[in-house]
Each structure stands twice: as structure tokens, then as C-alpha cells.
Amino acid sequence: MKGNAHERSLKQSVDWALIVSYLILVLIGWLSIYASIHSSEPPSIFNFDFRSGKQFVWILSALGLAGVIIFLVNPRLWEAFAPHLYILVAILLVAVIFLGKEVNGSKSWFEFGPVSFQPAEVSKITTSLFLASMLSRTDFSVTRFKDFLKVAAIIAIPMLVILGEKETGSALVYLGFIFVLYREGLTGWLLSIIGLVIILFITTLTASPYVSIMILIAVVTFCNAINEKHFWKMLLFLGIFLLAGSLFPWLWGLLTDHIAASVQKISDTYTVTLPGQEKKVFWAFLLKIKPIYFLIAICLGVLPRFAIKAFKEKNVFGGASVITFLVGLALIFSTEFIFNDVLKEHQRQRIEVLLGMKDDPTGVGYNVKQSMIAIGSGGFFGKGFLKGTQTAYGFIPEQSTDFIFCTIGEEWGFIGCLAVIGLYVFMIARIIIDAEECREKFTRIYGYCVAACIFMHLFINIGMTIGIMPVIGIPLPLLSYGGSSLWAFTVLIFIFIALYREEKKYY
Amino acid sequence: MRDDRQIKILIGLGIAAAILLGKIFYIQVINGKYKADSISNSIVKEVIYPTRGVIYDRNGKIIVGNKVAYDIMVTPREVTAFDTLTLASVLDVDPQLIRDKMAEYRSNIKKIGFQSVAMLKQIPAETYMKFDEVKYQFPGFYGQVRSIRDYPINAGGNLLGYVSEVDAAYIKSHPEEYSIGDYVGKTGIEAAREKDLRGEKGYHIYIRNARGRIESSYKDGAEDKEASPGHDIMTTIDADLQRYGQQLMRNKLGAVVALEPSTGEILAIVSSPGIDVSMLADIGKHYEEISSNPYKPMFNRAVQAYYPPGSCFKIVNALIGLQEGVLTPSETHPCHYGYQFADDRKLGCHGHKSPIDMEESIMMSCNAYYCYVLRNILDNKKYASIDEAMDSWHKYVESFGFGKKLGSDFPSELSGSIPSAKTYNKFYGKGRWNSTTVISLSIGQGEIAVTPLHLANFCATVANRGWYKIPHLVKEFEDIEIDPKYYEKHYTMVDTTQFPKVIKGMWRAVNSAPGTGGTAWIAQVDGLDICGKTGTAQNPHGDDNSVFMCFAPMDDPKIAVAAYIEGGGFGAAYAAPIASLMVEKYLNGEIPWGPRKDLEARMKTSYLLNRVRIRRR
């Protein structure tokens, strides 16, 4: 201990709001893990035989780790050793593919006796540090192509290796670093295009290719409209198109339902119903036609006209739009191909369920369905602590790790979900605001990296439990059971707190 | 610019959070589906099936009871390797069936979880006993008691109807009341009285975990409900008479309906060919056989067949004529083998003395006489036109219950049809027909269609001298109440004073000495004072239909019977013997040795199915 002067400066320099929200989230996580224990006689929350007891140990050790980072480690060292740590973890990431233990079809865990450790979790920290150190160099600019390639490599290397470990979820988190690059001056177009790709990908998975194509048409037309003289006219046209396009599947559904209803069994005139006969209905062939066929037909009919027009007028933007549209279409229709060749069997199955291609309540759709049932059954106020039936009776798989949010949704209802998401949003916003205050570029960029990591985990994890994201195993920061994840996020956040404190101490 | 991007990023963060919260709000607050799913998810209701109500005859004999059968249940997750051949031989099934079923369960094991499924349904108690002895060799298999229908007396068939497992369509149309595995009355009394007979299901509620294993009893059984058995039904049927009717009608197409005139209670209602009660208990097994039978045993002729009433209808015309004042009992008309109503057109009649009065016309069933009667009714000067006269006649006929559903508690009763002026205007054009055009109506032919139930009800109306109570099958019994409409008297438009006049003719038709011209002397039973009327209805599908209606005793009628035998020829050939035997059996209990016993034997053994060409319906 360094005496009174230090303590005072600790009080003033540490962002207590961040630490308090961290502690509340960890506490909520611990209680939720306890609540999701499936047992007829609830054990003590400290019982080490159960996950709540183990998590208690993880929490204590994480707090110890936080103390070490704040009090014992010189924050300057993080920047200095960022490249070394990055390389060390990169080696571990590759090594785990050969030496790791296989869990759920992915090899990403090292096992040392009772303790397991996932390098992918640590990689988030080292990548953030290295990215911050690279971007904060005085002669460095993301807008320069060469420099952009460097940062792209820093992000892509661990991401690809983790993809190689079949941990799609963890790999997806690295896309969040694009927000950091955007903040540091990367053109908004890249963010937009990546955003569009992700949205198309997700809507193809969760909604339908029809919706994806509608979105693609809307975006391309809108971007085109900005450069046009007839802006309002095109906007009006777009509005009408979107309205008609969204009403059409509904109307078509009504029509086909009507036809399907007339293709029904007719019963005998006697009091007994004899085995039914199919009545032949002429319009029955319409049942096989899907609304998307119309959409594609319209697209293919209209597109050449635009292409020829753009070519004649030498309109580069128009040409680019046509190409973007075609690429987008190709993306939408190649998603299936991507699933079949890029994704692992269990991931593909989960995605197939999201697509509605398989609807087997006890099969692969089980996870999402049960998770949504659990959350939905919570209602507005929830069932109350330890009163959940869905989580407690084991309907939710991995209910204390990836699906911990179900317990919150079921037992604390919408109020609880609002509070938890609100806490996360507060935490992320607070980090961003703190980061912006910093004069040290390294601290600021690192802060953004932390915010991006927490955000990506939050969105993907909760999105998966409520059916708007595919089921890709990824923990909810600070809440999910498990030492690896808790430690990683503790270190990630407390390094920022320490760096921020350093700012406050000296400036 | 930097600040600008910071703001944009924060806005983006806000939007992302709003998307998550929006979807959460939707599934937690707006869409109630997930809440309902969570209940069905973790709470399992084990249904306790009630026993169905017993059906008694009017004398308290059980006609439909219950007996115990067993379903062989399997919990696939608890099954260990077992000897398929032993199990198959014990259960008396093909080993391949067991192998197939087990393979099916294995492929659906996820869906089934720890639940049990019924592998074999309704095996008899004897087979189950054999299984019970060796059950210990087959872990995962057990028997579940199920109550099924039992028929101690072979009486009923179509009348009783059958019970079978509800199908998907039925569940869809009765979503609150039935679910998979429930049984429901499909036809006959079982269907008509389903609500009383079925009882109320009970249930035990358990909490189960995600693997379907029962964790505990829900709220310690506080919300459990015991099954309450169905209400017993007492029918108006006389089981012995019903069975006797079935025996008489064997190998004949047609129907016999017997009523108690004073109450409208149906004593027997036979449709032939019918369904044997032995088939009812396991209708599924016999369904193919029943539905492929060309004589349509499912078709209940007693209430659904449209027949011309033939000469029985002369009574109706006589009563209308009397009421209208265009006929008096002493009025005589000549008949020389028929009625010449145009130069080249004659409605024929059989040979009998001429001229005759009204009583004799009933007794001898003269066609010509009723041509005069009908023409007098329709050409009555008090009506401005034939249309008006025809509609008046139509109203009279309807007041006897014809041409409409009587409103009995038997399901699927049909209305028959009685023509009106409209019918003929449509057929011939307004003003292009007259009383001679519709002359067949006088003798119950032409555009008239009645069911045997209508005919029996008419006979009861005559027996009651002018009123009827709606025929019905269920009596008030214990806590079963019946519709008060069955206690109401329905008077016809003909004064009660007119009836004795025709009854005298009906008495003479049966009780005149052979050779004096009475058409139904064969129905005569000493001391019973049977009054009857024969009918011989033209049948486009083959030999004439034999029709007879009668009641007895004349002064205090206890039973009214209508018999209709397709292709039976003269009314006196089959219908009159069968109907009179029914009366005799009901009133005397036994048929004495002698000519009546011989007649009974002849009726029981005669085969008339080949007299009618099979129609494709």
C-alpha cells in the first residue's frame, strides 16, 4: 500500500459507475446461475458441487484479478507489451487446434486438470490491445490503404484461426472492431456495406430470402435516389413498392389458403364418415408457386433496363448499384451454399431451424423454441426469483452458460430484461464516453475495442435467445457461467479502468 | 467529425438495444403463445377416462354395458432386450407387428421421451391374463385398463350406434370437448345421447422435466380431478321385441317400427339389414366389411329411407274426405277393376264386389274408391282453384306428421316429402294439371315419400283417434331429463270424431273371415282386435314393396306397428305377418303353436334379398 495520497487519488480517478455496474451484472449472473440449477431441492448458493458455488469462486478470483490489474500492474506495460501478448495468444490459438479438447464439435479448450481455458477469450483482450497500440501510432492512418491492411490483418488473423476452431460465435465478435475503425476515420461506406451484408445474411436466415431481396432493393434504390434529380419521385415509388411488396405475400397467402381449403375432404352423406376423397381443384397448382418467384421475375425483368441506362449515360454510380444488387442477390442465394460448406453440422442445423426449413420441436429447433418459450412465459413482471419452471426443469439446454438470459427473462420478466440490457447499454456508453475524454489515443481506442466486444457479445447472445440471431454459442458477458469468460471480460474491462485512471491521475 | 461519429455510434447502440427489447417485449407481453406453450411444456395431464353410461331397455335390461379390455402400453426408454416371439405368442399377434412397432418407437424416441404409448389396443381380458403372468420378463411393457362397450342382448345394432376413437376432423370441430384418444358415439343412441353417456374426464396433473420424466405431483394433487362416469340412459325400447323384430326381418330389406301410441315411445325400430352388435364393439375391424356391403347396413331405413306409403295412405285420404265433408261412410262407389279417369287411362284395381262403401273400401283396399275421394277433395267447389285445393290437402297431410322431420331424438331422421301445388306447377306448369294428373296420390303412390317412422307415427295417430306424441327413444330416468315436447299431443287437422269411422274399416280388413275380401286376414290374432291396413307399393327397383301398418287392441291401443319390406310383394305377403307377429309378441309374450308359429317360422327363414336390384347410392 502506498499511503493516503494514493487512496484519495483512487477515489477520484477510478470510474466508480463502471465498477458498480460491473459488480451488479456479475451479481445478477451469479443469482441467475443459481436459479437455473435443476434440482428438486435447491442447494445452498455456495454449494461447491453446483455451478453457483463454482461461479462464486470464479467471481472471487475475478475480483482478485481486477485488484491486481488496478493496483499492481503498471498500465503503461499494456501498451508496451501489446504486440508480444498478441503473438503469444495467436500461438496458443493455433496450438489449441492440435492440443485442445473437443467440446460440441469445436476444439478450442485447453484442459489443465480441473481447469479449462479458452484462448479465444483471451484473444479478444490481446487483439484489442494490439489494435489500440497500432492505431495510436502517430504516423498511422486507417484511411491509408497500407495501414488499413495492417489493422485488417490484426483483426483477421485471430478471427480466421477461431473460425478454424469452429467457434463461429467468437469469430463473429471480431467484426465489432469495424466500429472502432469507423471511429478512427475509416470510411462509412465499408461499414455500410458490411452492415448490409450482415443484415442480408441475417434476414435470409431469420426471415426469408423474400425479405432480404426487398431490403436489398430498398437500399440500392435509396442510395441511387440520393444522387438523382427525381429524388422524391423515386422515394414515392420506393414507398409504394415496399408497401405492395409486403402486402403481397399476405394476400397470396390468403388466396392459397382459400384454394387449400377447397382441396379438402368431402364426407359421405350418411351419418358415418367414410374414408375421405380428395376433390380435384383446378387452381391447386397455384399452391406450388411462392411469392418470391414473382419478386425474382420482376427483378430480372427490370434490371437490364437500368443496366443499359447506366451504361449509356456513363453513370458510374448507377452501374455500381446494378453490380451491388447482383452481388447482393448472389449473396442471398448462396447462403445455403455457405451453410453447407462453411458451417459445421450443428451450426447448420440450428440455422436450418431458424430458416424454418426444419420444424421439429424436439430436434434442433428445440433450443431456440424452448428459450423463447421460457423468456415469453415471463411476461411483463416475471415469475419471481427461483419460480421459473422452464429453466428449473431443464427445458433450456446450457441454461447457465449461453442461455442464461432465459432465466432472467422467465423469472424477472420484461422489467428484468429492460434492467439488464439497460445496464449493459449504460456500461458500453459509459466506456465510450470515458474513452472520448481521454487524451491518450491508446486509451481511447482500447476503450472502443472493449465497448465493441461487450456489444457484440450482448447482441449476438441475447439475439440468439430470442430468435433473431442464429444459435451460435457465445456467452453473455459477466453473466454466463464459466471462469474463462468471466476472467476475460474482467481483465478486458479493468485494463480500461486502469488506463482511464492513469489519465485522470496525470492529466 | 470525431464527435459526430461518437454520437452516431451511440445512436447505433441505442437502436440495437431497442431492437432486442422490442422483440423481447413482443414475445413477453404482446404474443401470448409462449406463455401457453410454457404450461403445456412443463405440466402433464394424465387423463382418467370415465366409464360410459349404460343403456337400458324400457324394462331395465341392459342393452349396452361396459366391459374391461386392456391396452398394452410400452415405455420405449425402459424396454430392454426381450424375446419378441414369446411376447407375440402370448399376445396372440404376428411377431413382425411387434418388431415394426418397436422400430417405429425407436425412430421417434426423442419425441416419445419417457412417455408411454399404446402398442395394442383393446385386447380381451383372457389374453391380458396370459400376458400378466409373464409380464416380469418384459420390462417397459404394461397393461392399461380401458372400458369398452359390451352388448349382452343382440338387440339394437343401428339403433344403438357405435363408439369409436375421435378422428382429427372431429377434434377440430369440437376443440374444447375432445382430444386424441377420446371415444365418441358416432351413430344411433350413442351419438344422440353422447353428452349424457360420455361422462366427464378426470386428470392427474404432474410436473415433468424436459425429458418427459415426471418430477412431482402438481400442487400435491390439489388441482387433480376424478373422472365422473357417464349418465345411464333408459330407452323406450323393448329389448325382446327389438330382437324379435330383427329375427323376423333377417334377410329382408326394409324396416319395422313399433310405437306405444299413448306415449309416442318407440318400442322397437329395426332396419334391415343392420349391423350386428358383435361388430359394434370393434367397429374398426369390421368397417370395411360393413361399408362394402351392397345393402348398406349403415343406412338406417327406419328413419332415412324414402318409400311410397302405398294403400296405407288411403286412410289419410279417407280422413281428409270425411273432414272436408266430401265423403260420408255410407257413400258408395263402383269399381270394375279400376277407375277410368280418361278415355285411355285407367288406374287398375283387383277384383272385389262392387259398389262398396267406405268401410269396405278400407277392408278391401279398393283403388277406384279413393280416386273418387281424392277427386272430390281436389275438385271441391269451395276452393277457387286446384292450387288452393292441393295446398289444403297438403296441409292436412302434414298435420299427420308426414313431409317433415317428426323431431324424434333419433339422429339423422329424414323428412320425407309430400307434394303441394308448387310441386306440380313446377313439374307441369301452372294450370296445366288437374285432379286426374295427380290421381296416384289417392293410393299413396306418385310424388309421396315417407319413412317407416312416419308410417308408424301415422298408425299411432289413428290408434289415438287423432293425435300423436313425437316418437322418441329415451325415457326420463334418474337425472336424465327429456325434452318436454315429447309430452305434447299433436292434433291433426281432422276432428277426432272422424277416426272411429276408418278404424272400423281397418278392423274389418284384419278380422273379416278369409274369402270375404279383407286384405289382411293373415294378421288376425284371436282376442287382440288388431286393426290394420295393407299396402302394396310399386317399386321401380324390383318386386312391389310389402307394406302394413296396424295397432291393437282396437279400443285401448298398446302398440302401433309399421312394417315395410322391399320387394315383399302384397302387403299381406310379408309386412302383415311380420307386423302382426310383433303385436302378438308384445301383447301376448308368446306365439302359440299352430298356424301362427308356422307363420313366424316362415317369416324368420324367408330370404328376400334377391328380390331387389342393388342400387348404387
Side-chain angles (χ1 to χ4, degrees):
Chain A
M1 293 296 110
K2 292 180 184 175
N4 280 345
H6 186 94
E7 273 170 40
R8 217 181 305 125
S9 82
L10 178 78
K11 229 178 217 171
Q12 290 159 354
S13 58
V14 165
D15 186 344
W16 286 105
L18 260 186
I19 292 182
V20 168
S21 51
Y22 166 87
L23 289 173
I24 295 175
L25 284 170
V26 167
L27 187 68
I28 290 173
W30 186 39
L31 291 176
S32 302
I33 290 161
Y34 178 61
S36 56
I37 289 172
H38 166 216
S39 164
S40 43
E41 274 176 43
S44 155
I45 193 167
F46 298 106
N47 190 330
F48 194 73
D49 291 336
F50 292 90
R51 284 190 160 182
S52 61
K54 287 180 188 162
Q55 183 75 356
F56 182 65
V57 176
W58 293 128
I59 290 171
L60 287 184
S61 54
L63 291 178
L65 208 56
V68 168
I69 291 166
I70 289 190
F71 297 114
L72 300 183
V73 181
N74 181 353
R76 296 279 161 204
L77 292 178
W78 294 117
E79 189 174 359
F81 284 102
H84 310 89
L85 289 170
Y86 179 83
I87 291 165
L88 177 70
V89 172
I91 291 168
L92 287 177
L93 275 177
V94 177
V96 80
I97 298 177
F98 302 103
L99 307 171
K101 185 183 75 157
E102 190 164 327
V103 177
N104 288 340
S106 54
K107 267 186 153 184
S108 61
W109 292 84
F110 278 121
E111 215 180 15
F112 308 107
V115 185
S116 307
F117 156 77
Q118 201 176 15
E121 292 288 354
V122 187
S123 163
K124 276 194 281 282
I125 307 167
T126 54
T127 308
S128 296
L129 287 170
F130 192 32
L131 203 57
S133 96
M134 184 66 87
L135 279 167
S136 58
R137 286 183 194 165
T138 42
D139 57 341
F140 197 90
S141 167
V142 240
T143 48
R144 210 182 298 142
F145 189 63
K146 216 176 95 188
D147 288 348
F148 173 72
L149 282 186
K150 278 184 194 161
V151 286
I154 291 171
I155 299 169
I157 289 168
M159 188 175 164
L160 291 175
V161 177
I162 292 168
L163 259 182
E165 290 171 8
K166 316 288 184 196
E167 282 283 341
T168 322
S170 300
L172 224 53
V173 171
Y174 286 79
L175 285 178
F177 288 124
I178 290 167
F179 291 114
V180 181
L181 301 185
Y182 172 70
R183 166 62 185 81
E184 294 308 315
L186 187 71
T187 169
W189 282 112
L190 186 66
L191 193 65
S192 311
I193 287 172
I194 290 173
L196 182 64
V197 168
I198 291 172
I199 288 172
L200 290 180
F201 199 73
I202 302 279
T203 47
T204 310
L205 305 189
T206 57
S208 67
Y210 187 89
V211 177
S212 307
I213 294 176
M214 292 282 294
I215 291 172
L216 182 63
I217 291 171
V219 171
V220 170
T221 317
F222 185 78
C223 291
N224 247 313
I226 298 171
N227 287 14
E228 282 274 339
K229 284 167 286 190
H230 318 292
F231 177 67
W232 293 110
K233 221 170 123 186
M234 282 189 78
L235 214 59
L236 183 70
F237 164 77
L238 188 63
I240 294 168
F241 173 79
L242 286 180
L243 189 70
S246 34
L247 283 179
F248 180 68
W250 177 66
L251 290 171
W252 187 252
L254 287 185
L255 178 71
T256 46
D257 280 357
H258 182 74
I259 294 169
S262 57
V263 189
Q264 64 180 358
K265 288 178 177 178
I266 47 168
S267 58
D268 197 277
T269 44
Y270 296 143
T271 47
V272 223
T273 314
L274 295 170
Q277 296 160 276
E278 288 271 308
K279 205 163 56 169
K280 289 244 186 303
V281 174
F282 174 69
W283 296 106
F285 74 92
L286 285 179
L287 293 176
K288 288 180 186 152
I289 298 177
K290 292 178 189 146
I292 194 167
Y293 298 168
F294 290 96
L295 201 60
I296 294 167
I298 292 170
C299 292
L300 293 181
V302 174
L303 207 62
R305 224 183 75 96
F306 279 103
I308 292 164
K309 195 177 161 222
F311 183 73
K312 272 185 183 163
E313 292 172 4
K314 298 208 166 56
N315 182 345
V316 180
F317 198 83
S321 310
V322 171
I323 291 165
T324 311
F325 183 76
L326 286 175
V327 171
L329 266 191
L331 174 84
I332 290 165
F333 289 105
S334 62
T335 31
E336 245 187 74
F337 170 76
I338 291 172
F339 296 151
N340 292 335
D341 292 289
V342 179
L343 298 182
K344 281 286 286 181
E345 174 67 21
H346 70 278
Q347 292 162 335
R348 186 167 63 238
Q349 278 190 342
R350 288 163 173 178
I351 285 162
E352 278 173 346
V353 169
L354 278 175
L355 275 168
M357 287 153 75
K358 280 185 186 163
D359 190 17
D360 176 9
T362 55
V364 278
Y366 186 82
N367 292 0
V368 182
K369 195 186 159 196
Q370 294 299 340
S371 144
M372 285 172 78
I373 287 174
I375 294 172
S377 71
F380 194 79
F381 294 107
K383 295 176 180 167
F385 185 52
L386 300 182
K387 300 255 172 66
T389 55
Q390 301 303 298
T391 45
Y393 283 112
F395 285 91
I396 316 296
E398 304 171 56
Q399 70 263 38
S400 58
T401 56
D402 294 352
F403 284 91
I404 190 76
F405 192 70
C406 297
T407 312
I408 293 161
E410 189 185 8
E411 299 197 341
W412 300 107
F414 182 69
I415 297 289
C417 296
L418 185 69
V420 169
I421 292 175
L423 261 175
Y424 276 115
V425 170
F426 171 79
M427 195 178 206
I428 295 166
R430 182 86 189 183
I431 291 171
I432 290 174
I433 291 163
D434 282 354
E436 287 290 341
E437 276 178 25
C438 295
R439 278 166 247 186
E440 278 278 355
K441 220 179 163 190
F442 177 80
T443 310
R444 181 183 72 214
I445 297 167
Y446 180 75
Y448 265 94
C449 288
V450 174
C453 285
I454 298 174
F455 172 76
M456 291 302 280
H457 271 265
L458 172 77
F459 195 82
I460 294 172
N461 179 285
I462 296 183
M464 138 185 116
T465 61
I466 58 179
I468 60 178
M469 294 291 279
V471 179
I472 34 185
I474 171 171
L476 191 56
L478 309 179
L479 263 70
S480 286
Y481 170 78
S484 236
S485 163
L486 180 61
W487 280 21
F489 276 102
T490 302
V491 172
L492 192 69
I493 292 168
F494 276 86
I495 289 177
F496 176 70
I497 292 176
L499 286 169
Y500 180 70
R501 181 182 165 226
E502 196 72 4
E503 284 275 327
K504 289 270 150 169
K505 229 159 59 177
Y506 295 106
Y507 292 97
Chain B
M1 180 214 169
R2 294 270 148 107
D3 278 349
D4 174 47
R5 290 200 163 180
Q6 182 200 352
I7 299 295
K8 277 184 184 165
I9 286 173
L10 287 174
I11 291 171
L13 175 66
I15 292 172
I19 291 172
L20 292 180
L21 284 169
K23 180 78 193 265
I24 292 169
F25 190 76
Y26 175 74
I27 63 174
Q28 285 190 321
V29 182
I30 297 173
N31 192 334
K33 174 180 162 284
Y34 297 99
K35 225 172 245 173
D37 279 355
S38 82
I39 293 169
S40 65
N41 223 346
S42 53
I43 285 176
V44 62
K45 272 189 181 180
E46 187 194 66
V47 178
I48 309 165
Y49 291 101
T51 49
R52 237 176 131 75
V54 168
I55 302 176
Y56 295 102
D57 90 332
R58 62 190 294 113
N59 302 314
K61 285 186 185 163
I62 294 176
I63 33 183
V64 184
N66 294 306
K67 69 179 173 194
V68 166
Y70 295 85
D71 289 353
I72 297 295
M73 308 294 291
V74 191
T75 315
R77 292 236 173 173
E78 290 171 9
V79 172
T80 53
F82 65 93
D83 182 355
T84 312
L85 290 178
T86 313
L87 186 65
S89 79
V90 165
L91 292 173
D92 195 20
V93 291
D94 185 3
Q96 195 54 43
L97 178 87
I98 294 180
R99 279 187 212 114
D100 291 349
K101 290 265 185 186
M102 291 312 293
E104 187 193 323
Y105 302 147
R106 268 194 294 278
S107 64
N108 289 323
I109 195 75
K110 255 191 176 167
K111 216 175 217 164
I112 297 168
F114 281 92
Q115 298 173 66
S116 306
V117 283
M119 189 174 77
L120 294 173
K121 286 190 174 176
Q122 296 187 7
I123 63 159
E126 310 85 72
T127 311
Y128 176 72
M129 293 309 153
K130 274 196 268 170
F131 166 75
D132 202 37
E133 285 167 19
V134 294
K135 199 166 67 177
Y136 69 93
Q137 297 176 16
F138 305 101
F141 290 84
Y142 65 98
Q144 190 176 56
V145 183
R146 183 114 204 190
S147 138
I148 62 165
R149 285 312 222 181
D150 180 41
Y151 304 89
I153 306 175
N154 187 1
N158 301 48
L159 157 72
L160 302 169
Y162 67 92
V163 173
S164 76
E165 203 170 326
V166 287
D167 54 27
Y170 198 85
I171 295 173
K172 212 172 176 185
S173 57
H174 303 78
E176 300 293 313
E177 298 163 69
Y178 296 93
S179 44
I180 295 167
D182 289 357
Y183 280 68
V184 64
K186 285 289 182 69
T187 57
I189 295 178
E190 298 274 20
R193 284 289 165 166
E194 167 67 14
K195 282 202 169 68
D196 296 315
L197 288 168
R198 70 178 174 207
E200 246 178 284
K201 282 184 286 186
Y203 43 80
H204 291 309
I205 308 176
Y206 299 107
I207 297 182
R208 67 171 180 200
N209 67 14
R211 298 201 301 163
R213 176 169 273 172
I214 304 296
E215 288 274 335
S216 62
S217 180
Y218 181 67
K219 291 190 184 170
D220 286 331
E223 311 233 321
D224 289 2
K225 194 176 146 213
E226 289 305 317
S228 54
H231 296 293
D232 296 345
I233 296 281
M234 177 173 265
T235 63
T236 61
I237 296 294
D238 183 308
D240 295 333
L241 187 66
Q242 175 74 28
R243 191 177 48 180
Y244 186 63
Q246 283 168 207
Q247 289 165 353
L248 293 174
M249 289 298 287
R250 190 176 297 148
N251 293 326
K252 297 163 195 73
L253 288 173
V256 178
V257 179
L259 301 175
E260 186 176 69
S262 59
T263 57
E265 288 177 357
I266 298 173
L267 298 172
I269 186 161
V270 179
S271 171
S272 179
I275 302 163
D276 197 81
V277 289
S278 62
M279 292 183 175
L280 284 182
D282 195 1
I283 194 89
K285 204 185 262 176
H286 301 283
Y287 203 90
E288 200 51 47
E289 181 189 340
I290 292 168
S291 60
S292 64
N293 185 327
Y295 300 109
K296 302 276 177 202
M298 282 284 192
F299 178 55
N300 196 325
R301 289 172 168 79
V303 291
Q304 291 185 310
Y306 277 27
Y307 291 129
S311 300
C312 294
F313 205 72
K314 289 171 183 168
I315 307 288
V316 180
N317 283 326
L319 286 165
I320 297 171
L322 288 167
Q323 181 67 20
E324 286 281 272
V326 296
L327 172 67
T328 55
S330 56
E331 193 174 319
T332 58
H333 290 291
C335 171
H336 301 288
Y337 294 97
Y339 176 74
Q340 195 85 31
F341 60 93
D343 288 344
D344 56 340
R345 296 173 72 189
K346 184 175 183 179
L347 197 153
C349 189
H350 55 98
H352 56 78
K353 71 169 201 171
S354 171
I356 51 170
D357 66 10
M358 191 194 78
E359 264 179 35
E360 286 165 329
S361 76
I362 294 172
M363 168 187 159
M364 300 175 190
S365 195
C366 172
N367 287 349
Y369 195 93
Y370 287 92
C371 295
Y372 292 109
V373 171
L374 186 74
R375 289 201 64 178
N376 289 344
I377 294 170
L378 295 179
D379 297 339
N380 191 343
K381 288 286 175 290
K382 89 178 193 195
Y383 298 110
S385 66
I386 179 79
D387 286 27
E388 228 174 83
M390 189 71 214
D391 285 341
S392 165
W393 177 86
H394 176 86
K395 277 204 195 93
Y396 272 113
V397 177
E398 273 203 336
S399 76
F400 286 93
F402 292 116
K404 61 185 181 189
K405 287 182 185 172
L406 286 164
S408 89
D409 52 2
F410 196 84
S412 65
E413 181 198 337
L414 293 183
S415 63
S417 79
I418 300 296
S420 64
K422 213 171 130 194
T423 319
Y424 295 106
N425 284 338
K426 217 161 133 191
F427 210 69
Y428 299 107
K430 199 170 167 65
R432 304 187 61 176
W433 56 278
N434 56 36
S435 56
T436 57
T437 323
V438 300
I439 200 72
S440 311
L441 298 180
S442 63
I443 57 164
Q445 296 285 343
E447 293 74 19
I448 304 181
V450 305
T451 65
L453 183 68
H454 279 123
L455 214 52
N457 183 56
F458 171 61
C459 186
T461 310
V462 176
N464 289 334
R465 277 77 170 163
W467 54 266
Y468 67 89
K469 287 180 181 170
I470 300 173
H472 54 277
L473 273 169
V474 177
K475 282 170 90 83
E476 210 163 86
F477 176 63
E478 289 173 357
D479 35 11
I480 300 286
E481 287 182 11
I482 68 168
D483 196 321
K485 74 178 180 182
Y486 296 121
Y487 297 126
E488 283 168 23
K489 284 182 180 176
H490 295 259
Y491 282 91
T492 68
M493 286 165 65
V494 175
D495 288 345
T496 51
T497 52
Q498 310 289 8
F499 284 83
K501 300 168 188 169
V502 296
I503 289 171
K504 199 77 216 305
M506 287 170 72
W507 185 86
R508 284 176 65 182
V510 178
N511 296 291
S512 304
T516 55
T519 51
W521 56 267
I522 194 159
Q524 188 184 337
V525 179
D526 289 341
L528 288 189
D529 273 339
I530 296 176
C531 305
K533 180 74 197 80
T534 53
T536 307
Q538 286 163 15
N539 176 8
H541 310 288
D543 291 359
D544 285 348
N545 295 333
S546 173
V547 195
F548 189 67
M549 63 175 213
C550 64
F551 65 89
M554 178 170 76
D555 295 326
D556 179 22
K558 291 271 187 271
I559 180 170
V561 181
Y564 208 108
I565 287 94
E566 292 182 36
F570 290 120
Y574 288 94
I578 287 173
S580 67
L581 284 166
M582 293 281 284
V583 171
E584 190 176 6
K585 172 85 176 173
Y586 183 68
L587 295 178
N588 290 349
E590 280 306 316
I591 311 297
W593 289 105
R596 295 294 295 170
K597 201 73 186 173
D598 298 342
L599 188 66
E600 178 191 74
R602 187 154 66 78
M603 289 302 127
K604 282 184 176 176
T605 52
S606 52
Y607 182 90
L608 299 184
L609 291 179
N610 53 359
R611 299 253 193 121
V612 178
R613 288 194 296 275
I614 293 165
R615 278 162 282 174
R616 292 266 161 242
R617 287 201 150 258

